[in-house]
Amino acid sequence: MKSVRSDGLGELYLLYEELKRKLAEMGFFDPAYKRALPRYARRIGIVTAKTGAAVRDIIQIARRRNPYAELWLYPAKVQGEGAAESIVRGIRTLDRRGVDLMIVGRGGGSLEDLWCFNDERVARAAYACETPLISAVGHESDVTLLDFVADLRAATPSAAAERGVPNLAAQLALIAGLRQQLSRGLREKVGDLRARARGAGFRLRLNAPEELLSARQQRTLALRQGLEAGLNKKIQARRAAFQLLAARLRAASPLNRL
């Protein structure tokens, strides 16, 4: 009896399709579970090789466009034995650190080179991750299971990569950081203008003719009331002294004695 069995890339592709079908049935690719990317990302986590093209793109763009964005790199293996475990540890570590956005990926390569991103353990870690996650694996023609599980796929087009165009995931993350920087600057500017407006309004009220006239009137009224009170006090004192003298005079009068 003779049989035909796929080998090499054919066997890997069949394994890929089988695992893809399994994860799809479990709901790992359901759009209802996709998280929206944050509008502002101050801390951006990166899971990739520390010498990969992806991290170089992100660092170069960050230094040039948004030096205030915090880039937290987890140097992971992205190819070969132990790569899947390393990527899983990176996702879980940065997720616990509370980054605002996470990018997981590497540059392009063959199916074998990118196979760790088809590992079920990586898919499960990405699905359980509470941080919005971008898959930046390979080029447009390189599709991995992580692309389906991630909240957004941002692969670099092959032609663009050949021309040295920065990774799309890096641009998305840095745009989010620039939005935050712009929003913070606008809030500070608006707060400064409001404070200046309040100060100008206060000075205007103090120097307004109506306020000055009202203050003068209140001061005049207070002086008048004080003067009247002083005069009344003196009159009452003189009246009391006069009444005392009159009583003494009546007591000493000869007519009262007769």
Side-chain angles (χ1 to χ4, degrees), residues 216-255:
R216 296 291 177 84
Q217 289 176 343
Q218 291 178 0
R219 184 179 179 186
T220 302
L221 179 61
L223 291 174
R224 180 179 177 180
Q225 291 175 347
L227 179 60
E228 290 178 351
L231 289 175
N232 290 334
K233 186 176 180 180
K234 287 184 178 182
I235 290 174
Q236 291 175 1
R238 295 295 178 87
R239 183 176 294 171
F242 177 76
Q243 290 175 353
L244 179 61
L245 290 175
R248 290 177 180 178
L249 181 60
R250 284 195 299 271
S253 174
L255 296 177

Side-chain angles (χ1 to χ4, degrees), residues 84-119:
E85 295 89 341
S86 180
I87 295 170
V88 169
R89 287 195 300 269
I91 293 174
R92 292 174 177 172
T93 299
L94 292 179
D95 192 33
R96 289 194 300 267
R97 294 292 179 87
V99 295
D100 302 315
L101 182 68
M102 193 183 306
I103 301 173
V104 181
R106 55 154 287 169
S110 64
L111 181 61
E112 294 95 330
D113 295 338
L114 305 179
W115 188 249
C116 57
F117 296 97
N118 294 320
D119 193 288

Side-chain angles (χ1 to χ4, degrees), residues 114-247:
L114 305 179
W115 188 249
C116 57
F117 296 97
N118 294 320
D119 193 288
E120 183 175 353
R121 292 167 294 179
V122 173
R124 289 182 177 276
Y127 182 76
C129 181
E130 297 181 359
T131 304
L133 188 146
I134 296 176
S135 173
V137 180
H139 306 314
E140 288 180 338
S141 58
D142 301 320
V143 181
T144 65
L145 294 179
L146 179 63
D147 297 334
F148 297 103
V149 181
D151 300 300
L152 178 69
R153 184 197 179 203
T156 304
S158 300
E162 293 174 359
R163 296 193 300 269
V165 177
N167 185 280
L168 179 57
Q171 297 185 42
L172 289 173
L174 292 172
I175 286 173
L178 290 173
R179 284 178 177 173
Q180 181 187 25
Q181 182 182 355
L182 178 61
S183 177
R184 182 170 59 247
L186 288 175
R187 286 197 302 269
E188 293 176 354
K189 187 65 175 179
V190 170
D192 181 61
L193 291 176
R194 285 178 177 173
R196 292 174 60 184
R198 286 195 296 269
F202 179 73
R203 290 192 297 271
L204 180 61
R205 288 193 298 272
L206 288 179
N207 297 324
E210 295 83 358
E211 295 293 335
L212 293 176
L213 180 59
S214 177
R216 296 291 177 84
Q217 289 176 343
Q218 291 178 0
R219 184 179 179 186
T220 302
L221 179 61
L223 291 174
R224 180 179 177 180
Q225 291 175 347
L227 179 60
E228 290 178 351
L231 289 175
N232 290 334
K233 186 176 180 180
K234 287 184 178 182
I235 290 174
Q236 291 175 1
R238 295 295 178 87
R239 183 176 294 171
F242 177 76
Q243 290 175 353
L244 179 61
L245 290 175

